[in-house]
Amino acid sequence: MAFTAPKETYPGKVYPVGMGTAEKAVIVGGENVLPFHGFEGEIPGKPLVALEVQDVPPQDWPKAVRDACESVSGDPVSWAKHCQDALGARAIALRLIGTHPDREDRSAEDAVKTVTDVLAAVQVPLVIMGSNHVEKDSQVLVAVAEAAKGRNCLIGKAQEANYKTIAAAAMANDHQLIAMSELDINLSKQLNILITQMGFAKERIVTDPMSSALGYGLEYTYSVMERIRLAALTQNDAVMQPPMLADLGMYVWKIKETTATAEDMPEWGTLPERGIAWEAATAAAFLLAGAELLVMRHPEAVEAVEKFIAEMEV
Amino acid sequence: MLVIGEKLSVIAKRVREAMENRDKGPIQEIAKLQHQYGAGMIDANIGPAEDGGEELMQWMVTTIQEAVPLPVCLDTTNAKAIEAGLQVHNSEWGRPLINSTSNDPERFPIVELAAKYNSQLIGLTVGKGGLPADAEERAGIASEIMARAMENGIALEDLYLDPLVLQIATTQEQALKVVQSVKMFQELNDPPMKTVVGLSNISNGCPKEVRPILDRYYLALLMYEGLTAAIADPREVRETVKTIDVMMGKTLYAHSFLEM
């Protein structure tokens, strides 16, 4: 008797969300099966990894990851071009962290210039993220959404406190929207409802259930992601069917395991290998939980994850 | 939980007149409203329709499906009218449902019709004689209907068992027996048998103002026991269905759950 693997079918399906333009355009989501269960159904868009670029030099990143982009990170345009041309990134995530009032407090106009310059320099799809400051993001993201009109970007993050202005700007300028809630599946659903009640198409939302890092809350994110995906597939809950974003680099690269040197912690092995492994392991876990889009920082961690994706594809 | 919109019934004066005059307007308006309030199927109740039933049922099915993308539940004792309706039913939005066969030999041919036209079927758990006394008696009748369906090549997943809801005002003790029947019916097969009720029967003959209250609370009890479908007013039961679905864990809670 030959073994036949049991196959499940699901009533629901994840929405395919398009990003970018022309031949560089990509689709995230669209599958009607659990992560990597290609043998049970359709997975039209493979998981997408976006390399993170910032509008200001990443002085707050630990050395292990900062060194990987030291030569280009003084300027977002050359940094983005490097990610696209030298590293072969399939997407870029531009984080406008410099706009945060507690950081450089860059203006919306500064952000618009950065976004415009980066868009002029790269062709791959762009994720444009604010600094997660509720009030400032409302101004900044509205301005950059307009500046990026026609480039079909993914813009965010819209939260319960500021979703109206950001969703309206994304809608007016034909972008997709990141909807972020803080590790709470019911609030995640509620935010999706509120956004769609504005007339924003649910097929253009990407959910960010809030990330974490291995050893620093990973199981909370994992569990919420898993439940979102199961609600989408098994309960056919239309509100829960957007693809998911795991914005993990920012969480991974500030913890002890990715910053402590081998001198301090000899039993932990050397940096940057340890940090790279940490980011790759966190990323792989989120892919298994159902994330379709990852934002990562270390090129070698991305390489490992791309390899993992290729091996997992059936 | 499937809500089968009950509003297109010959009992309602406006609907009856529209049927008699072949006036599509009111029929389509009511069908659209029911669709809007969450009906997954529309019941077309033309009564016994002894004269011209075939032509009337065909007109009803096409009139409804011109207005809403839903399957139709063909509700009549007239077998010829059912067959005529099945012939014109558009199944791109789901297969039709026949209401109904039972353990009355006169209703046996309905089973053959369901098989011939690949339709779903309601099996009303009553026989030729009096009303069933309790859940056990209903389950016994249900088993016979199931056997008959299988003999005719109908998959048990296509059979909805109806325990026959009775009026609380006249047969109060039956209310709970029907709830028990819904639970018992499911145990007759694996996967569990599907169940359906004509919900508003519970409040038939009661004062107008208490009818919706009786209907809604009764539906909550039935849903708790796993009811699959109800022939009901979608507008009246919408809140109940959404709320119980959340409480039963069938849909994920969000503050705006009633708006979805």
Side-chain angles (χ1 to χ4, degrees):
Chain A
M1 269 297 280
F3 171 72
T4 318
K7 288 186 183 179
E8 294 274 344
T9 54
Y10 306 94
K13 166 180 184 230
V14 178
Y15 293 121
V17 173
M19 287 167 54
T21 52
E23 67 274 9
K24 293 289 184 187
V26 292
I27 296 274
V28 288
E31 72 273 16
N32 61 356
V33 288
L34 290 169
F36 302 114
H37 281 222
F39 53 91
E40 290 178 336
E42 299 293 314
I43 308 183
K46 72 171 182 176
L48 179 68
V49 184
L51 259 169
E52 183 173 341
V53 168
Q54 295 195 342
D55 60 341
V56 290
Q59 294 314 320
D60 55 321
W61 292 13
K63 188 173 170 1
V65 64
R66 204 173 60 232
D67 283 353
C69 57
E70 194 65 62
S71 58
V72 288
S73 60
D75 154 52
V77 173
S78 45
W79 191 356
K81 274 185 80 68
H82 174 77
C83 290
Q84 175 186 272
D85 302 334
L87 302 173
R90 290 187 289 134
I92 289 166
L94 175 60
R95 192 187 307 278
L96 301 165
I97 193 70
T99 60
H100 197 289
D102 301 339
R103 290 281 306 259
E104 288 77 357
D105 199 18
R106 298 176 82 237
S107 67
E109 292 72 36
D110 293 338
V112 163
K113 185 176 183 331
T114 303
V115 167
T116 310
D117 292 349
V118 169
L119 281 169
V122 298
Q123 294 78 47
V124 294
L126 196 63
V127 183
I128 305 172
M129 296 185 288
S131 61
N132 267 8
H133 184 276
V134 167
E135 290 82 21
K136 190 66 182 278
D137 276 2
S138 294
Q139 307 163 31
V140 169
L141 292 172
V142 166
V144 302
E146 199 171 331
K149 190 178 177 73
R151 289 296 293 271
N152 196 25
C153 299
L154 173 63
I155 292 205
K157 301 168 179 178
Q159 308 174 47
E160 196 176 356
N162 64 9
Y163 72 92
K164 282 187 177 156
T165 45
I166 298 170
M171 193 156 44
N173 298 289
D174 306 322
H175 299 299
Q176 329 303 318
L177 183 74
I178 303 170
M180 186 189 81
S181 47
E182 301 195 346
L183 285 177
D184 182 318
I185 189 169
N186 306 100
L187 292 178
S188 170
K189 177 168 180 173
Q190 180 64 12
L191 181 59
N192 287 355
I193 294 171
L194 293 172
I195 290 169
T196 51
Q197 281 178 338
M198 292 176 59
F200 194 91
K202 58 181 180 290
E203 298 84 357
R204 290 176 48 200
I205 295 174
V206 172
T207 297
D208 179 357
M210 197 168 176
S211 272
S212 48
L214 177 61
Y216 292 82
L218 178 126
E219 46 282 279
Y220 292 94
T221 302
Y222 190 100
S223 171
V224 172
M225 282 187 169
E226 203 177 27
R227 288 166 62 208
I228 288 176
R229 183 56 71 247
L230 286 170
L233 295 177
T234 61
Q235 298 185 328
N236 196 12
D237 188 332
V239 185
M240 303 308 282
Q241 289 171 337
M244 288 187 287
L245 162 71
D247 185 7
L248 61 115
M250 63 186 281
Y251 291 94
V252 168
W253 292 101
K254 64 181 177 199
I255 61 180
K256 196 174 177 183
E257 286 83 347
T258 59
T259 52
T261 61
E263 291 74 45
D264 294 339
M265 302 296 282
E267 68 275 26
W268 282 5
T270 56
L271 280 174
E273 287 81 359
R274 191 189 332 131
I276 292 167
W278 213 265
E279 187 174 23
T282 301
F286 290 149
L287 288 175
L288 292 170
E292 286 91 351
L293 174 61
L294 309 179
V295 174
M296 296 178 64
R297 288 184 174 175
H298 202 297
E300 287 181 56
V302 173
E303 209 179 316
V305 169
E306 292 283 13
K307 200 169 149 207
F308 171 74
I309 292 169
E311 283 173 1
M312 290 293 287
E313 282 180 331
V314 188
Chain B
M1 170 73 200
L2 170 69
V3 178
I4 303 166
E6 72 177 0
K7 286 285 180 191
L8 291 177
S9 167
V10 71
I11 298 164
K13 184 165 175 279
R14 185 173 171 226
V15 176
R16 185 171 59 247
E17 285 171 359
M19 283 182 189
E20 285 162 3
N21 304 326
R22 298 289 190 271
D23 178 4
K24 286 184 177 183
I27 304 288
Q28 295 188 331
E29 184 191 322
I30 293 166
K32 279 180 187 163
L33 265 177
Q34 296 194 97
H35 178 230
Q36 194 182 308
Y37 282 102
M41 192 183 272
I42 304 289
D43 192 72
N45 180 348
I46 62 168
E50 273 133 16
D51 295 330
E54 291 153 71
E55 197 265 327
L56 175 60
M57 186 56 103
Q58 289 200 333
W59 179 81
M60 280 296 282
V61 170
T62 49
T63 301
I64 291 165
Q65 292 195 310
E66 271 171 22
V68 290
L70 293 176
V72 178
C73 178
L74 308 144
D75 192 350
T76 174
T77 46
N78 180 336
K80 283 196 167 70
I82 287 177
E83 179 158 26
L86 291 171
Q87 283 165 349
V88 297
H89 187 274
N90 174 356
S91 298
E92 70 176 287
W93 306 298
R95 289 152 63 208
L97 177 65
I98 299 172
N99 192 0
S100 57
T101 187
S102 72
N103 236 15
D104 177 349
E106 279 177 36
R107 315 279 289 190
F108 291 175
I110 303 284
V111 181
E112 292 160 32
L113 278 182
K116 182 176 171 187
Y117 290 94
N118 187 29
S119 171
Q120 303 175 95
L121 177 65
I122 291 176
L124 189 65
T125 56
V126 294
K128 183 106 181 118
L131 296 170
D134 51 26
E136 286 74 13
E137 195 177 327
R138 286 177 168 92
I141 297 171
S143 303
E144 292 182 47
I145 294 173
M146 286 161 67
R148 202 169 300 116
M150 285 191 288
E151 281 162 24
N152 282 273
I154 292 171
L156 288 181
E157 295 86 83
D158 291 334
L159 180 65
Y160 287 76
L161 295 170
D162 182 344
L164 184 64
V165 170
L166 296 164
Q167 301 172 19
I168 196 152
T170 55
T171 41
Q172 190 177 349
E173 77 289 349
Q174 287 287 330
L176 213 46
K177 289 175 175 168
V178 166
V179 175
Q180 289 158 351
S181 304
V182 166
K183 185 170 190 237
M184 209 178 278
F185 287 172
Q186 291 170 84
E187 291 159 5
L188 297 173
N189 190 47
D190 184 18
M193 290 302 292
K194 290 175 174 163
T195 50
V196 65
V197 295
L199 183 67
S200 54
N201 263 2
I202 191 75
S203 63
N204 217 338
C206 301
K208 202 166 172 235
E209 61 274 16
V210 299
R211 289 200 65 178
I213 297 168
L214 288 163
D215 293 351
R216 286 188 203 124
Y217 283 109
Y218 196 49
L219 180 60
L221 295 178
L222 292 160
M223 284 180 74
Y224 176 75
E225 291 298 6
L227 185 74
T228 319
I231 301 171
D233 175 359
R235 189 170 185 168
E236 183 185 277
V237 300
R238 194 167 171 266
E239 259 186 26
T240 305
V241 171
K242 285 178 191 292
T243 306
I244 302 298
D245 272 346
V246 163
M247 288 181 176
M248 300 276 292
K250 292 188 192 303
T251 52
L252 186 65
Y253 176 81
H255 295 322
S256 300
F257 75 97
L258 286 177
E259 292 157 45
M260 292 316 295

